[in-house]
């Protein structure tokens, strides 16, 4: 797995989003899923005429 280095502010923001000592990889996966779902919704929304 690749290593990612984050600045202190980013880690603090991630810590604020974590629930019950959730692992960072779980949190990042959830954020990516939300991003992809919103992107898909926006893309499909533009198809409506």
């Amino acid at each position: 797995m690749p290593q990612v280095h984050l600045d202190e502010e980013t880690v603090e923001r991630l810590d604020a989003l974590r629930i019950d000592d959730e692992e960072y990889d779980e949190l990042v996966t959830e954020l990516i899923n939300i991003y992809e779902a919103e992107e898909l919704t926006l893309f499909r929304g533009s198809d409506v005429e």
Side-chain angles (χ1 to χ4, degrees):
M1 177 176 287
Q3 286 190 340
V4 177
H5 300 279
L6 304 170
D7 64 29
E8 187 175 328
E9 180 183 348
T10 302
V11 173
E12 289 173 2
R13 292 175 68 189
L14 287 172
D15 284 341
L17 295 172
R18 291 172 64 197
I19 300 171
D20 297 328
D21 295 327
E22 180 179 32
E23 296 292 328
Y24 287 112
D25 61 336
E26 295 171 324
L27 176 59
V28 170
T29 298
E30 184 176 343
L31 292 171
I32 291 169
N33 289 340
I34 291 168
Y35 173 80
E36 288 175 342
E38 288 181 5
E39 184 180 71
L40 184 58
T41 301
L42 290 173
F43 178 73
R44 288 194 176 165
S46 65
D47 289 344
V48 177
E49 293 181 24

